[in-house]
Amino acid sequence: MFDFHPRLKQRFAALRTGAEFFSLRYVCESGQHLSVRKNVAEPPSLNRDEGAMLTVRVNGVEAYAATNDLSQAGLQAALERAEQHARQLKPHALLDLREQAVSSDRADYFSPHFDQAFPPLSDCYQLLGDESAAVPQDERLVNWQASIGLTQVEQIYLNSAGAELRQAQRFIYPALDVTAFDGNDSQTRTLGRENFGQQGGFDVISRCGLIGAGPKIADQALQLLMAPNTPQGPRDLLLMPDQMMLQIHESIGHPLELDRILGDERNYAGTSFVKASDFGHLQYGSSLLNVTFDPDIPEELASYSHDDDGSAASKQFLIREGLLLRPLGGALSQFRAGLDGVANSRACGWNRPPIDRMANLNIEPGDQSLEQLIQGIERGVLMRTNRSWSIDDARNKFQFGCEWGQLIENGELKGVVKNPNYRGISAQFWKSLRAVGDASTSQVLGTPNCGKGEPNQVIRVGHASPACVFSNVDVFGGDA
Amino acid sequence: MSTVNNQARAFKALVDWLRDALREPEQFTLGYAAESSAFVRFNHGKVRQAGQVQQANVSFKLIDDGRHADLQITLSGDPEADVQRLSEGLQQLRETLPLLPRDPYLLLNHNHWQSNNVQDHPLPDTEQAVAEITRAAEGLDLVGFYAAGPISRGFASSSGAFGWHQANSFNFDFSLFHENGQAVKASYAGHEWSSDGFARRFEQAREQLEFLGRPLRTLPPGEYRAYLAPAALEEIMGMLSWGGFSAQAIASKQSPLQKFYAGEAHFSPNVWLTEQVSGSLSPAFSDEGYPRDDLGLIAKGTANARLINSRSAAEYGLAANGASRYEYPTALDMQGGQLEQKYILEELGTGLYISNLWYLNYSDQPAARLTGMTRFATFWVENGQIQAPVSTMRFDDSVYSLLGSQLEALTRERELLLSASTYSQRATASMLLPGALVKRLTLTL
Ligand SMILES: [Zn+2]
């Protein structure tokens, strides 16, 4: 672990520049993706990636250069390119960062069970093969696939103010999906994949329920195939954690990103219906809504001690009892906006610069069991497992779809319905939050696939949430 | 940054080293991807974030006795260090293969095809491009992204195939915002930066911006006539590209076009769509080492070819046609129609002029039913005259309706849309599309 650290430190110490401040962020990432599709092992996809980003500040103007050449000469050349960029762009720079503080922290951070080896490839294939083989023989089951993704990342951040931050993390993504087809419609049921990723080791595979899931997921795909469409019209909506995560992500996370509010993303990811002046004033949701940035849940995907600019991370309430308090903005955005934020300045790799990202964004549990949540609904629908998401560029008008729906009548769970969709407007939707599940309904989930930024970056984010009930939501089904 | 010739030479040196290092009956394929990019972000007409990225990697497949595994390795640019990395990679793959079962769907291309395509127009100087952009943006709220530099792709196999593709390019993707929050989107992209060309493109966007100052019109949900500009159609085609034409997705009933390929649904007979690799900006060979054919995907509104990679070819008994690992098109070309650009507003009459769509996804995938948002420069038109910008609206409609029963006309003129995507690396994909006049677009929110 951190094998390259001594040499990197030496090379960093030998770098020469006229910049008033500079930093180096080294990232070494390795991974494997293993999959068995319809009982056939697909070839493993392995990777090993290594590089560094040098960032300089010259007369208050920052610029970066990322390089795959980690030799002394390679790092020096990158530093000089960054410095040249900063000098050239000085007359056109938007920001003057001369007064912005920099980190001098030192810390190490490790994923849980990082020191325990992950099972060898052959064991993983055995497990995936067993799950695939456990999918029953039924001619309507036309496709199924079990997979495990693993990514291991070592990052070392050094800067000219003396910061030295090392992180060693391992991320696991188990998945199983089954598709059923009846000659007309097709329905897919999924476990994990884009919904379930965690830090850790083999414990993640156990927690996600992959082992023994084959027959259950296949049965659910068949149930969906035979189910009627979700009825159209207003109903109470019970969202389970694997849809709540998407609801939080799209309609709380993105609109609270401070760089979006400052306009940086208007050409790509979009803007926000939230304004800088709303913090401390806007009632974002009902008084049951408590939203936190929480880097302290060890298995959650974006738990860390420091972000990629070297800011120390700690748990913060972004929304408390429905009141909007704090944006998702890292040190730079905080400096620009004059607002307190969180340590969420993050890059997806060595070749992309840090920007405001979501990290772990969670809903704090309430006080009702799942049974109580269901009992409290007269005419509603339960939805689980996101499969479709679409929202406008200000993060307001949304439409989301799930794999699995179940009607709720007079406080009881009834039949399965397919193609459950719903739509709403963020600024109003969270005010209809009527009940929040307790810790027993809560799950720690996360996705590796949040996209944003120019140049584009796809990054890991964590979302832990209980099940939640929303009043009077516009729900509907599909065509087939 | 090493020059392009050096890169080709360095790649050849790695290929030669690998040929020598292999032991019979081992085989390999080696893909190569490198770029050197200047990246400049703009906000409020100024530079928000700028830098430079230099990267290179190989995708190494080792095959032995029906078993195979893939390893992507980042290169350092130093020949000795890179041979060392490749050597360690070879060792890792040799240790991996015995742990795997034989792959029944392994299909290797034994042709020793050769392909070489080098385009080295001089690139604009970043400092000069930034100066022109900030000067043009004076007094305007410009936000955008400039990316420029050389891109190289290579491929070699133990069977003697060798491909090299290199192109210099730039892409300035930008928006101009009116103070009321409305915006117009445009891009200036290609190989040769011309100050006049840029100024003209910028002026077009600026002219559109003036219409956006009119009071905003809010529409109720309902059905509307609509014109979808090529950039809006690009979003729809981009959505269909995920699995739509993929042999595996079609066979496993996960394609949004499964009814189309089953002959149960069709588009308007005016819809002709080709994956037009020749003459496009993307490499003439696939990431798995097959020369890429030009493929007619939709002919007269009905299903024609699908995208088939080697794995699908083996699994479904089809002929591989150079599709990538994900069977995703990168050079879609849709035939134009009869509607002349100058008559678009007149033919639209009363309805929506939609410049861009955004954030599409499926409401019902087997029915090819899509939802998504309007974004950037959407106008309400009455009797052929632009009346007002329209506030952001959501649509929800089947592609079989939009490009089928409700398609009234396609424009004669088409637009070449170069992908501005930079996820992990700069994209070489493009689409050549007309605009579409549709009789009915359903707005839901
Ligand atoms: Zn996201």
Side-chain angles (χ1 to χ4, degrees):
Chain A
M1 208 183 308
F2 302 129
D3 295 339
F4 196 54
H5 183 229
R7 265 176 298 164
L8 189 70
K9 240 184 121 168
Q10 222 169 35
R11 288 174 197 174
F12 183 76
L15 290 173
R16 294 292 167 256
T17 173
E20 67 242 31
F21 169 77
F22 67 103
S23 67
L24 181 158
R25 190 168 47 82
Y26 160 86
V27 183
C28 175
E29 181 171 325
S30 60
Q32 60 181 41
H33 186 263
L34 313 178
S35 163
V36 173
R37 189 174 147 262
K38 294 178 81 175
N39 304 328
V40 173
E42 305 211 308
S45 176
L46 315 170
N47 72 287
R48 189 178 161 81
D49 176 37
E50 195 177 26
M53 173 166 283
L54 282 299
T55 303
V56 301
R57 191 184 288 178
V58 182
N59 299 321
V61 177
E62 281 196 354
Y64 63 86
T67 182
N68 50 345
D69 183 352
L70 298 168
S71 66
Q72 186 71 55
L75 295 174
Q76 181 66 39
L79 185 63
E80 286 166 15
R81 279 198 299 275
E83 192 179 331
Q84 187 193 10
H85 240 61
R87 289 189 197 284
Q88 282 177 349
L89 298 174
K90 169 81 180 159
H92 313 294
L94 177 70
L95 307 172
D96 178 352
L97 303 177
R98 278 174 297 185
E99 302 296 322
Q100 198 209 338
V102 296
S103 174
S104 55
D105 287 3
R106 291 163 172 258
D108 282 350
Y109 185 85
F110 301 94
S111 287
H113 313 299
F114 189 81
D115 50 344
Q116 291 168 21
F118 198 75
L121 198 104
S122 43
D123 291 9
C124 293
Y125 271 117
Q126 183 69 49
L127 187 158
L128 296 173
D130 289 349
E131 283 318 315
S132 175
V135 170
Q137 294 281 336
D138 185 317
E139 62 181 16
R140 292 168 299 171
L141 299 177
V142 291
N143 195 64
W144 61 96
Q145 184 160 14
S147 63
I148 298 175
L150 177 155
T151 304
Q152 194 156 308
V153 182
E154 285 185 22
Q155 172 163 310
I156 302 169
Y157 173 90
L158 304 169
N159 73 19
S160 56
E164 190 170 320
L165 299 163
R166 305 192 301 179
Q167 309 199 25
Q169 293 173 289
R170 184 169 53 200
F171 308 95
I172 311 290
Y173 306 98
L176 174 71
D177 63 77
V178 180
T179 299
F181 178 66
D182 62 7
N184 177 42
D185 194 14
S186 75
Q187 292 287 327
T188 298
R189 190 72 183 107
T190 309
L191 174 104
R193 207 169 58 187
E194 271 81 48
N195 284 327
F196 190 101
Q198 289 188 349
Q199 297 192 52
F202 192 75
D203 55 305
V204 179
I205 308 283
S206 315
R207 269 201 298 281
C208 111
L210 179 64
I211 298 164
K216 189 179 85 184
I217 298 297
D219 178 62
Q220 290 179 354
L222 290 171
Q223 285 189 54
L224 283 172
L225 204 56
M226 293 179 291
N229 253 308
T230 301
Q232 183 158 0
R235 276 180 182 251
D236 285 356
L237 181 59
L238 169 56
L239 296 183
M240 299 304 284
D242 61 355
Q243 172 58 21
M244 276 304 296
M245 67 172 284
L246 189 279
Q247 183 71 52
I248 299 166
H249 183 95
E250 303 290 3
S251 79
I252 295 180
H254 283 305
L256 297 195
E257 288 164 347
L258 192 46
D259 62 339
R260 290 177 74 114
I261 295 168
L262 291 167
D264 289 355
E265 289 283 339
R266 288 177 296 163
N267 185 56
Y268 179 59
T271 173
S272 177
F273 70 90
V274 174
K275 300 182 292 291
S277 56
D278 288 337
F279 294 93
H281 308 289
L282 180 72
Q283 192 68 30
Y284 203 94
S286 79
S287 62
L288 297 173
L289 182 64
N290 289 290
V291 180
T292 54
F293 167 87
D294 190 349
D296 298 332
I297 298 173
E299 71 274 25
E300 199 166 348
L301 273 184
S303 288
Y304 47 75
S305 71
H306 288 74
D307 71 7
D308 297 335
D309 279 340
S311 299
S314 62
K315 179 171 177 172
Q316 301 291 343
F317 275 82
L318 305 184
I319 297 171
R320 198 194 284 272
E321 294 178 358
L323 182 67
L324 182 64
L325 297 177
R326 199 181 267 258
L328 285 163
L332 174 62
S333 294
Q334 293 171 38
F335 176 79
R336 291 166 69 187
L339 289 168
D340 286 339
V342 297
N344 71 323
S345 187
R346 304 173 64 208
C348 67
W350 59 267
N351 63 352
R352 294 289 181 264
I355 53 175
D356 289 341
R357 300 310 297 250
M358 223 172 286
N360 289 343
L361 186 69
N362 303 342
I363 289 195
E364 298 292 312
D367 58 1
Q368 296 199 40
S369 67
L370 187 61
E371 290 65 34
Q372 288 170 318
L373 293 176
I374 293 168
Q375 279 162 14
I377 296 172
E378 199 181 295
R379 187 166 169 277
V381 59
L382 169 153
M383 295 189 195
R384 58 167 98 230
T385 318
N386 178 262
R387 74 171 189 195
S388 178
W389 59 100
S390 171
I391 189 164
D392 73 49
D393 64 301
R395 297 278 152 175
N396 221 351
K397 289 183 178 180
F398 63 78
Q399 177 179 321
F400 301 140
C402 294
E403 287 182 356
W404 180 266
Q406 246 176 305
L407 297 179
I408 301 171
E409 307 287 351
N410 301 316
E412 279 181 44
L413 211 47
K414 300 287 186 187
V416 178
V417 288
K418 68 179 181 180
N419 303 322
N421 291 306
Y422 65 101
R423 55 186 159 229
I425 296 174
S426 300
Q428 294 147 26
F429 183 77
W430 292 100
K431 292 183 181 128
S432 71
L433 175 66
R434 204 189 71 202
V436 177
D438 62 18
S440 73
T441 73
S442 191
Q443 264 191 295
V444 175
L445 302 171
T447 174
N449 288 335
C450 178
K452 186 183 172 184
E454 294 173 307
N456 303 152
Q457 306 194 41
V458 62
I459 210 163
R460 294 172 279 271
V461 298
H463 299 298
S465 177
C468 289
V469 178
F470 300 85
S471 300
N472 214 22
V473 178
D474 192 10
V475 308
F476 59 101
D479 291 355
Chain B
M1 183 67 194
S2 51
T3 68
V4 168
N5 285 337
N6 285 345
Q7 279 186 349
R9 221 175 303 138
F11 177 54
K12 277 190 184 125
L14 290 176
V15 172
D16 290 342
W17 179 88
L18 200 50
R19 287 218 167 95
D20 289 343
L22 282 210
R23 302 191 288 244
E24 280 286 323
E26 288 175 337
Q27 292 173 281
F28 75 86
T29 67
L30 195 70
Y32 177 90
E35 67 183 58
S36 176
S37 305
F39 290 139
V40 186
R41 278 189 102 162
F42 297 85
N43 187 6
H44 300 305
K46 297 268 191 192
V47 174
R48 154 68 186 93
Q49 193 174 39
Q52 199 269 343
V53 172
Q54 166 187 310
Q55 63 186 43
N57 66 56
V58 285
S59 298
F60 177 16
K61 181 192 281 295
L62 183 70
I63 307 117
D64 190 5
D65 192 25
R67 299 172 168 85
H68 60 129
D70 298 292
L71 172 63
Q72 183 171 312
I73 311 166
T74 296
L75 300 177
S76 72
D78 172 55
E80 252 173 71
D82 289 341
V83 163
Q84 178 62 29
R85 288 184 187 185
L86 197 57
S87 165
E88 286 165 12
L90 176 58
Q91 190 55 33
Q92 185 181 351
L93 289 173
R94 277 180 176 154
E95 286 164 12
T96 301
L97 293 194
L99 306 175
L100 307 173
R102 284 201 183 86
D103 182 4
Y105 303 144
L106 171 63
L107 185 68
L108 291 171
N109 182 4
H110 296 293
N111 289 341
H112 36 89
W113 56 268
Q114 308 286 309
S115 166
N116 188 46
N117 180 14
V118 173
Q119 173 276 104
D120 52 4
H121 290 298
L123 282 162
D125 174 59
T126 303
E127 200 178 357
Q128 181 211 327
V130 168
E132 285 188 30
I133 291 165
T134 49
R135 203 177 311 129
E138 261 171 50
L140 294 170
D141 185 1
L142 173 142
V143 53
F145 181 57
Y146 173 82
I151 295 176
S152 326
R153 301 281 187 269
F155 180 85
S157 73
S158 46
S159 304
F162 193 91
W164 186 255
H165 170 95
Q166 189 270 318
N168 289 345
S169 65
F170 67 86
N171 194 329
F172 177 49
D173 186 72
F174 66 100
S175 330
L176 299 177
F177 274 74
H178 193 276
E179 56 197 18
N180 64 7
Q182 293 289 306
V184 54
K185 173 117 176 159
S187 75
Y188 180 59
H191 304 295
E192 270 174 295
W193 178 282
S194 122
S195 298
D196 289 346
F198 169 64
R200 269 199 305 277
R201 189 73 197 86
F202 197 90
E203 199 42 44
Q204 284 169 7
R206 210 186 149 115
E207 281 166 14
Q208 255 197 318
L209 188 62
E210 280 159 26
F211 286 109
L212 293 172
R214 300 183 183 181
L216 199 60
R217 177 81 62 104
T218 303
L219 295 179
E223 292 173 350
Y224 294 89
R225 275 177 77 76
Y227 170 72
L228 300 169
L233 195 55
E234 182 191 20
E235 289 293 318
I236 292 173
M237 300 317 294
M239 201 59 211
L240 293 181
S241 295
W242 288 106
F245 308 101
S246 150
Q248 189 193 90
I250 293 164
S252 59
K253 311 302 175 193
Q254 292 174 319
S255 165
L257 296 180
Q258 74 195 36
K259 286 187 196 295
F260 175 68
Y261 275 98
E264 294 159 8
H266 58 86
F267 295 115
S268 150
N270 296 324
V271 175
W272 297 73
L273 186 73
T274 310
E275 169 74 338
Q276 185 66 38
V277 179
S278 55
S280 83
L281 301 159
S282 61
F285 47 91
S286 74
D287 51 0
E288 54 175 30
Y290 280 74
R292 295 170 63 200
D293 305 336
D294 292 340
L295 296 169
L297 302 172
I298 301 176
K300 211 176 171 184
T302 60
N304 201 351
R306 55 195 73 183
L307 299 171
I308 306 166
N309 66 19
S310 66
R311 205 167 179 77
S312 291
E315 183 171 353
Y316 308 116
L318 302 167
N321 56 23
S324 67
R325 186 171 168 188
Y326 298 105
E327 300 183 324
Y328 185 94
T330 56
L332 287 181
D333 177 308
M334 188 188 277
Q335 223 173 73
Q338 299 302 315
L339 175 60
E340 285 183 55
Q341 194 155 6
K342 58 185 177 202
Y343 297 124
I344 291 171
L345 289 175
E346 193 178 310
E347 288 297 313
L348 172 61
T350 295
L352 285 158
Y353 182 104
I354 299 173
S355 298
N356 299 79
L357 292 172
W358 169 247
Y359 224 122
L360 273 54
N361 216 320
Y362 292 102
S363 294
D364 185 349
Q365 182 164 311
R369 197 177 121 192
L370 285 167
T371 185
M373 307 303 305
T374 62
R375 184 178 180 187
F376 298 116
T378 297
F379 298 105
W380 178 247
V381 177
E382 273 176 24
N383 302 318
Q385 303 290 320
I386 289 180
Q387 301 295 310
V390 173
S391 60
T392 306
M393 291 300 289
R394 170 172 297 285
F395 78 93
D396 191 340
D397 245 316
S398 170
V399 183
Y400 298 131
S401 164
L402 295 177
L403 294 178
S405 54
Q406 302 302 317
L407 180 65
E408 186 165 301
L410 294 168
T411 57
R412 180 168 294 171
E413 296 85 352
R414 298 185 296 165
E415 203 171 313
L416 177 63
L417 301 146
L418 305 182
S419 170
S421 173
T422 48
Y423 284 107
S424 75
Q425 61 186 14
R426 279 159 54 218
T428 57
S430 61
M431 290 192 205
L432 183 58
L433 301 174
L437 182 61
V438 300
K439 288 179 257 186
R440 190 194 75 198
L441 176 74
T442 308
L443 300 182
T444 57
L445 186 66

